[in-house]
Amino acid sequence: MNIVLRNIILIFSFCLYALMGFAQKKESLFVAPFDFPLYLSGNFGELRTDHFHSGVDFKTQGVVGKHIRCVADGYICRASVTPGGYGKALYVMHDNGYMTVYAHLDRFPAIVEKRVREHQYKNETFSTNLWFPRNELRVKQGEFLAYAGNSGYSFGPHLHFEIRDAKGNELYDPMEFYKDKLIDTRPPRIHAVSIYPQRGKGVVNGNPASCVYDVKGDTLCGVVEAWGVVGFGVKALDYMDGTNNKYGIRKIELFVDGKKRFSSVMDNFSFSEDLFINSWIDYGRMYNDGEWFQKLFVAENNKLRVLDADENNGWLLVDEERDYNIEYRLSDYHGNSTVCSFVVKGKRCEIPLPRKYTHALYCNANNRAEYFGMRLDVPAGVLFEDAFLNVRLQNSDAVTWRYSLADTVYPMLRGAKISFWVGNRLSVDKSKLYIRHVEPDDSSSVGGVFEDGWISADITTLDCYEVAVDTVAPLLHPLNEEMWMTKGKITLSLEENETSLKNFRGTLDGKFILFEYNSKNKEFTLDMKNEKVKRGAHQLRFVAIDRCGNEAVFERSIEY
């Protein structure tokens, strides 16, 4: 045999062996966190409001309290407690170079529970972020770690599980390590296709607005005619064996006339990339209708690494009167795939001029827009694409007019600031002013700082805003007060209709006592047994303060 050929074969065999060993090694790095069959209620990278799902959600058979096993040798490096978000969460640094996170816990292991409780009382706070020295709290693979629960912003018992790099910044799909422990023979399903004419440069079916087409099986319903520059989108979900849950799509590919124009593979991202989600999805359709479409083209300032597009950023120029063959390919981690093919008919058509606008904001320039007492500052790089405002004033019962900034909602990265002139003669206490974001079905505070007659706040959408005043204190309601002493638990509910909760504090006989707060149902709970409350008469006092400084006080004399 030729020596060169033999060496090539040897090198190829060695590389193949190494790759196989690497794949096997990855799947053996971690054991399962439970000793029962694994099923997911959520997968990695699912689309969420303003963020991607940063891990997987393991089902816990519908109950709280399941024992979680440590997935690899290492040490507990951090424990955190928050009213929403992860709730009670544990972080483990592993000897293999990865960090794992266990969230929505019911309880920590006893030694961590003790340290957390000591920190909460020392600092007189419920929310906690406690770091532990390297190797102080060693844990071994397979040993008990914590109890699964439903704490934080969780709506059913499960374990939210993450795999990160050692610094905790990079997030990896746990499926890469647990693929052999989960059964999946079901392919993704495409529910609808969306097509987007580029502003002032394209039309679909003679219209400059985007169009949506339902998909039945693998067939698009309807005829698509286009002219000029258009982009594509997809509404799709994935499915797995043994559950009725719906999951996000791992891999999406777009082909036009056999050439790949766009692809996305959701396998790794960092928290700093979260807000790029709002550029990848059809934000206006999600915001107004609650429908999640992913765009198969990339905005100029969308730096999300999981996206890859051709030299035209995924846009298609339809400039010939012919059939353009479009193909979507979607697949999951187990290789299950689905294909949807359809034709876009090139049909020559006049492209109308874009709508008129009051202000143009350019994504790579520093922008300032002013309009009758409103000032908007948007630095370069904050917008994903150029934005065209059509500012309109609307009547409102607030302190100022209601300012509708644009005909469509533009999402942004952090860094933009909106300011309103309210002057210094306003009789209301300036600390009670805030800027209100008016949404289709709700409104929320984005805060506000008053200085020299202006109130300003940071915003991440170009939408609808006004200045309001909050002088109304939150309300505290006792829940099932007649059962407090029987159950040994005191529960108060919070009612706050303007600005959100800023702080709270409970005391018993003048001394701090720990109330746990659950933000999803706005309830504060004092477990008198856990807090070792002595039998007898006590004076309870609880204070809740909103973000405009309004204070609610609840007091009771109790006999425990």
Side-chain angles (χ1 to χ4, degrees):
M1 180 184 291
N2 182 284
I3 294 176
V4 175
L5 179 60
R6 184 181 65 183
N7 288 340
I8 291 173
I9 293 172
L10 285 172
I11 292 170
F12 175 78
S13 300
F14 175 78
C15 292
L16 181 62
Y17 176 80
L19 286 171
M20 290 174 64
F22 180 71
Q24 291 172 352
K25 184 180 177 183
K26 278 210 164 185
E27 292 192 353
S28 64
L29 280 175
F30 301 114
V31 299
F34 297 111
D35 60 2
F36 49 81
L38 299 182
Y39 292 95
L40 300 185
S41 56
N43 69 337
F44 182 78
E46 282 181 352
L47 309 176
R48 305 286 174 90
T49 304
D50 292 334
H51 70 286
F52 298 100
H53 191 223
S54 53
V56 297
D57 291 340
F58 286 116
K59 293 191 172 192
T60 58
Q61 300 180 332
V63 298
V64 166
K66 289 289 186 180
H67 284 207
I68 300 169
R69 300 188 299 186
C70 185
V71 298
D73 292 353
Y75 66 95
I76 298 171
C77 63
R78 178 186 173 196
S80 64
V81 181
T82 55
Y86 288 2
K88 295 181 180 180
L90 207 59
Y91 300 71
V92 178
M93 187 72 72
H94 295 288
D95 299 341
N96 60 26
Y98 289 98
M99 176 190 293
T100 55
V101 182
Y102 310 78
H104 305 309
L105 302 177
D106 184 58
R107 284 170 289 159
F108 297 118
I111 187 166
V112 175
E113 194 79 30
K114 180 176 181 293
R115 296 279 289 275
V116 167
R117 188 61 55 89
E118 289 171 350
H119 183 271
Q120 289 172 319
Y121 271 90
K122 180 180 178 180
N123 295 277
E124 298 190 355
T125 180
F126 169 63
S127 296
T128 303
N129 188 25
L130 187 59
W131 292 83
F132 302 105
R134 180 182 179 87
N135 287 324
E136 178 187 3
L137 301 177
R138 291 289 304 179
V139 285
K140 290 186 176 296
Q141 186 179 70
E143 75 176 30
F144 167 75
L145 185 66
Y147 300 91
N150 189 32
S151 62
Y153 207 67
S154 166
F155 294 90
H158 72 278
L159 169 65
H160 174 83
F161 176 77
E162 295 177 6
I163 297 179
R164 304 184 183 181
D165 69 346
K167 293 182 178 180
N169 298 324
E170 293 290 322
L171 298 150
Y172 305 102
D173 188 352
M175 189 69 81
E176 185 176 354
F177 305 85
Y178 289 97
K179 179 181 176 181
D180 63 333
K181 297 177 176 64
L182 290 151
I183 300 172
D184 182 11
T185 63
R186 302 177 66 185
R189 179 184 167 194
I190 297 174
H191 293 271
V193 161
S194 49
I195 305 181
Y196 303 88
Q198 196 173 84
R199 184 180 186 274
K201 294 183 179 181
V203 290
V204 177
N205 295 336
N207 195 319
S210 63
C211 295
V212 171
Y213 300 84
D214 290 335
V215 174
K216 303 297 182 185
D218 59 358
T219 303
L220 183 137
C221 302
V223 175
V224 185
E225 296 177 339
W227 193 253
V229 182
V230 297
F232 298 88
V234 64
K235 178 183 178 182
L237 293 167
D238 196 11
Y239 306 86
M240 296 183 75
D241 296 49
T243 79
N244 293 318
N245 295 89
K246 301 171 183 177
Y247 309 95
I249 306 298
R250 178 178 183 266
K251 186 175 183 179
I252 304 173
E253 295 175 295
L254 169 69
F255 293 82
V256 179
D257 294 334
K259 179 185 176 182
K260 186 186 290 189
R261 295 298 190 103
F262 170 92
S263 68
S264 64
V265 182
M266 179 51 74
D267 56 4
N268 168 226
F269 64 92
S270 69
F271 288 113
S272 63
E273 296 177 276
D274 265 339
L275 280 179
F276 288 122
I277 189 176
N278 292 332
S279 175
W280 186 13
I281 65 171
D282 182 338
Y283 189 83
R285 195 161 263 120
M286 181 279 295
Y287 183 78
N288 292 303
D289 305 321
E291 292 191 290
W292 293 80
F293 282 81
Q294 290 167 268
K295 295 186 292 191
L296 311 189
F297 54 93
V298 184
E300 185 172 352
N301 279 340
N302 189 346
K303 309 302 182 185
L304 184 62
R305 77 182 78 171
V306 302
L307 307 181
D308 185 37
D310 64 7
E311 65 277 5
N312 298 313
N313 288 329
W315 291 97
L316 172 65
L317 173 61
V318 179
D319 59 353
E320 299 178 56
E321 291 192 295
R322 66 174 179 88
D323 288 352
Y324 292 78
N325 296 297
I326 314 300
E327 184 175 277
Y328 288 23
R329 300 179 191 172
L330 280 63
S331 57
D332 62 27
Y333 214 103
H334 285 79
N336 306 299
S337 62
T338 190
V339 175
C340 177
S341 301
F342 59 94
V343 168
V344 170
K345 294 182 177 294
K347 184 177 181 180
R348 190 178 300 276
C349 180
E350 183 178 348
I351 299 173
L353 293 173
R355 291 182 180 179
K356 293 182 179 180
Y357 54 87
T358 58
H359 304 80
L361 307 180
Y362 299 103
C363 61
N364 291 316
N366 293 321
N367 302 273
R368 167 166 283 190
E370 296 180 305
Y371 195 88
F372 293 102
M374 183 275 297
R375 187 172 66 204
L376 182 65
D377 292 290
V378 184
V382 170
L383 282 164
F384 297 114
E385 57 191 345
D386 295 342
F388 301 91
L389 306 186
N390 183 20
V391 184
R392 298 187 306 276
L393 301 182
Q394 302 170 356
N395 288 324
S396 172
D397 59 359
V399 173
T400 61
W401 293 94
R402 180 173 297 170
Y403 291 74
S404 176
L405 299 183
D407 296 324
T408 187
V409 181
Y410 290 95
M412 300 180 290
L413 296 171
R414 293 182 178 88
K417 180 181 289 187
I418 193 167
S419 306
F420 295 95
W421 174 256
V422 294
N424 292 300
R425 297 180 180 180
L426 202 64
S427 59
V428 68
D429 180 352
K430 304 302 186 296
S431 68
K432 306 300 182 184
L433 296 174
Y434 70 97
I435 295 176
R436 181 158 56 199
H437 180 196
V438 183
E439 303 173 61
D441 299 316
D442 199 5
S443 63
S444 59
S445 168
V446 295
V449 176
F450 182 83
E451 184 178 4
D452 297 330
W454 291 87
I455 183 169
S456 305
D458 295 332
I459 58 173
T460 55
T461 55
L462 298 176
D463 195 16
C464 193
Y465 297 92
E466 64 190 10
V467 178
V469 60
D470 181 9
T471 59
V472 180
L475 296 175
L476 293 168
H477 304 287
L479 293 182
N480 302 317
E481 188 171 358
E482 69 281 1
M483 300 297 294
W484 283 1
M485 298 305 109
T486 303
K487 293 185 175 181
K489 291 185 178 181
I490 293 174
T491 304
L492 303 173
S493 70
L494 174 72
E495 183 181 343
E496 170 55 60
N497 296 321
E498 292 279 345
T499 52
S500 59
L501 179 72
K502 181 180 181 181
N503 199 9
F504 65 92
R505 188 174 188 271
T507 60
L508 198 66
D509 303 326
K511 294 182 179 180
F512 173 82
I513 194 161
L514 183 67
F515 274 78
E516 295 198 353
Y517 178 48
N518 188 328
S519 65
K520 63 176 174 275
N521 54 21
K522 296 186 177 180
E523 290 181 4
F524 306 93
T525 301
L526 165 60
D527 188 321
M528 291 187 283
K529 182 179 179 181
N530 281 356
E531 304 313 315
K532 298 180 174 56
V533 175
K534 294 180 180 179
R535 297 286 177 173
H538 299 281
Q539 188 64 33
L540 174 71
R541 190 173 193 268
F542 187 88
V543 178
I545 303 172
D546 68 21
R547 294 194 178 276
C548 280
N550 302 301
E551 184 177 295
V553 179
F554 179 88
E555 293 182 304
R556 277 289 190 278
S557 296
I558 61 172
E559 184 74 30
Y560 180 46

